[in-house]
Every structure is written in structure tokens, then in C-alpha cells.
């Protein structure tokens, strides 16, 4: 791991910790200790090939989700206890109705008081839920992970490609792959969006199991994924892509008793030193377009000279 990688990693962790503290109404020493312990575990488990300063430092930030969940559970527990108290008040009031002499005005006032308390508690609970939901949305927006498939998202891809394209004298081959699920709209229209989500997870899991540790998987948008294959030549790159194509073809998704057949199209290109993120993605997109036009469920390659 290079010195700059370490400095970037520590800086990112520091910024995440400050952001975590700022997002809380009141932060405690215990929360900071928990964050640092989680961060130590993440850093200890990484090797040199896995260090992408921004992407993997974000893993330490995931403990913020634990804090939000803890706050949500505590809030729910408090609200539940208050409703139990109000239920007991309600029961006592009803029992008072069994007396021979019923004080209607007094009972009416009591019910109005109970109703007012319940309305206040519901309002408090809704405010807390809205606040926690907003915090989760902020974390998901700032995170580098796609919340559905748990692979890197488009934001992480932009950062990664910017870093790659600014380096001079890149020491090894890098291949960028654009992968698209064929006829995904038809699948959504036929089986529903829940089935579509399960297919995205299904494809992401195949990619995770097939690719090497140093390779990267990004959800580019909708039904598209981008893969970065490092330290590999074109022959071995295509062997891996053919393996992915084969696995997707052989494995159908079972959804509500129905077997859904899925195929993918793949466009590939190789990084050259003059590339920008846009030019690299554009070539892969052209190759993907050709794969779609030439029958889908296939692989096409676009190089700098158009071959």
C-alpha cells in the first residue's frame, strides 16, 4: 500500500467520523469508540490490492446505519411504552363507567385528554421516523455502494475512472466492460418490478462469484453494470466474459414458482493512456450497442481504432 493511499484512507475515515458526529443530536464517547473499532476491523482486513482509498474507507462508515437502527428501535420502544400507559388510562376510564353514578363531563374530559396524548405520541413518532428516513437517504446518497445489489454505484465508478485516467504510465492492462440485461423492460412488465429487482441481485451475485478479488463491479444504472478487470490480457478477459455469459444462460431465476430466463449482452474495451472516463465508457457503450444489434446474448469489443 502506497503512502498516498494510507493518507487518503485516514483522511476519509476522519471526515466520515466528523460527519457521523455532526448528524447526531448528541454524540457520545462510546459512539466514537465503536466507530474506531469498526474502522480498525475494516483496515485490518484489507490487503494492498483491495485498497481503493475512497471506496473501501466508506465501509467503515456503514456503522452509521447501526446507529440509526439503534435510534429507531429506542424510539419505537419509547412510543410503545407510552401507548401502554395510555391504554391503561383508557381501561381505567372504562371501568369508571360501571359505577352507578356516572360523571359524564368528567369521563368526556378524560377521553379528550387520552386522545390528545395519543395524537401527540403519534406526531412525535412520525417526526422521528421522518428524521431517521432522511438520515438513511443521506447515507445512501453519499455512500459508494448500490443499496439494492451491494456492488459499487455510479458515483464510485466516476471517482475510480477519474483516478485511473489521471495516472501517467499505467503499469498494466485494464479492461472496462459494460453489461446489460436483455429485454429487462419486458421482464418488469411481465413479472413486476420485484422480480426485476431480484434479477439485478441475481446477476450481481453471479458477477461477484465469477470475478477475481482485484476486479471491480459497479451498477451503472437501471439494468446496466460496469466491470473493471485489472492486470489481465484480452484473451483471459474474454474467457472470463464467456464464463459470465455461460453462467447467466445456465441459471434461471425462480420467482413465485416461475422460472425466468435471463440473458445479457456485453460490450468490452481496453484502457489506453489517452483515455478520459467519457471516452472509455463511450467505446464500451458502442460495443454493447453492437452486441444488442447483432442478436443479444453475446460479447462485442470496441478498441481505439474501431476494431
Amino acid at each position: 500500500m502506497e503512502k498516498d493511499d494510507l493518507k487518503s484512507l485516514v483522511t476519509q475515515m476522519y471526515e466520515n467520523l466528523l460527519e457521523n458526529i455532526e448528524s447526531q443530536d448528541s454524540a457520545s464517547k462510546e459512539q466514537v469508540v465503536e466507530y474506531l473499532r469498526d474502522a480498525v476491523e475494516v483496515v485490518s482486513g484489507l490487503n494492498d490490492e483491495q485498497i481503493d482509498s475512497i471506496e473501501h474507507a466508506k465501509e467503515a462508515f456503514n456503522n452509521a446505519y447501526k446507529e440509526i437502527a439503534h435510534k429507531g428501535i429506542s424510539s419505537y420502544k419509547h412510543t410503545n411504552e407510552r401507548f401502554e400507559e395510555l391504554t391503561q388510562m383508557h381501561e381505567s376510564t372504562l371501568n369508571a363507567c360501571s359505577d352507578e353514578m356516572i360523571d359524564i363531563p368528567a369521563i368526556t374530559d378524560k377521553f379528550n385528554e387520552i386522545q390528545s396524548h395519543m395524537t401527540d405520541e403519534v406526531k412525535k413518532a412520525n417526526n422521528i421516523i421522518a428524521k431517521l428516513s432522511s438520515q438513511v437517504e443521506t447515507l445512501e446518497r453519499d455512500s459508494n455502494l448500490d443499496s439494492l445489489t451491494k456492488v459499487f454505484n455510479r458515483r464510485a465508478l466516476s471517482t475510480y475512472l477519474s483516478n485511473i485516467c489521471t495516472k501517467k504510465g499505467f503499469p498494466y492492462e485494464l479492461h472496462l466492460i459494460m453489461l446489460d440485461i436483455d429485454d429487462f423492460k419486458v421482464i418488469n412488465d411481465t413479472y413486476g418490478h420485484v422480480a426485476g429487482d431480484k434479477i439485478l441481485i441475481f446477476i450481481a451475485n453471479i458477477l461477484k462469484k465469477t470475478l477475481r478479488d482485484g476486479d471491480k463491479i459497479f451498477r451503472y444504472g437501471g439494468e446496466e453494470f460496469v466491470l473493471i478487470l485489472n492486470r489481465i490480457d484480452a484473451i483471459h478477459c474474454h474467457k472470463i466474459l464467456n464464463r459470465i455469459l455461460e453462467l447467466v444462460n445456465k441459471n434461471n431465476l425462480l420467482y413465485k414458482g416461475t422460472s425466468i430466463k435471463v440473458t445479457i449482452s456485453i460490450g468490452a474495451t481496453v484502457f489506453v493512456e489517452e483515455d478520459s472516463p467519457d471516452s472509455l465508457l463511450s467505446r464500451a457503450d458502442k460495443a454493447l450497442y453492437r452486441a444488442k444489434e447483432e442478436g443479444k446474448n453475446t460479447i462485442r469489443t470496441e478498441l481505439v481504432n474501431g476494431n
Side-chain angles (χ1 to χ4, degrees), residues 75-142:
S75 170
Y76 171 78
K77 183 180 178 183
H78 172 74
T79 302
N80 194 41
E81 288 171 351
R82 285 292 295 140
F83 271 109
E84 285 181 4
E85 292 174 10
L86 293 171
T87 301
Q88 290 173 3
M89 291 174 62
H90 198 281
E91 186 177 348
S92 299
T93 304
L94 288 176
N95 289 337
C97 292
S98 62
D99 296 340
E100 292 182 5
M101 300 296 292
I102 301 175
D103 188 344
I104 298 297
I107 291 176
T108 300
D109 289 344
K110 199 66 175 177
F111 273 116
N112 287 338
E113 181 186 349
I114 292 171
Q115 182 63 41
S116 176
H117 280 305
M118 293 184 73
T119 301
D120 287 343
E121 288 302 320
V122 170
K123 189 179 294 184
K124 288 177 185 176
N126 285 337
N127 287 338
I128 291 171
I129 289 170
K131 183 177 180 180
L132 294 177
S133 297
S134 176
Q135 288 182 16
V136 170
E137 287 177 3
T138 300
L139 286 172
E140 289 181 346
R141 184 182 65 246
D142 294 342

Side-chain angles (χ1 to χ4, degrees), residues 43 59 71 73 125 128 164 213 249 272-273 280 294 305:
V43 175
E59 291 184 35
K71 289 172 67 178
I73 291 170
I128 291 171
I164 292 296
D213 288 342
N249 273 292
V272 295
E273 197 165 313
L280 193 56
E294 296 173 16
N305 59 10

Side-chain angles (χ1 to χ4, degrees), residues 182 202-203 206 241-253 259-266 296-299:
D182 295 327
F202 166 72
I203 296 296
I206 287 178
L241 298 183
N242 278 309
R243 176 62 176 157
I244 293 172
L245 210 64
E246 179 185 7
L247 287 171
V248 174
N249 273 292
K250 283 184 177 179
N251 294 277
N252 293 352
L253 176 71
S259 180
I260 304 177
K261 176 68 176 175
V262 181
T263 64
I264 58 174
S265 297
I266 297 175
K296 303 175 184 177
N297 192 26
T298 189
I299 305 166

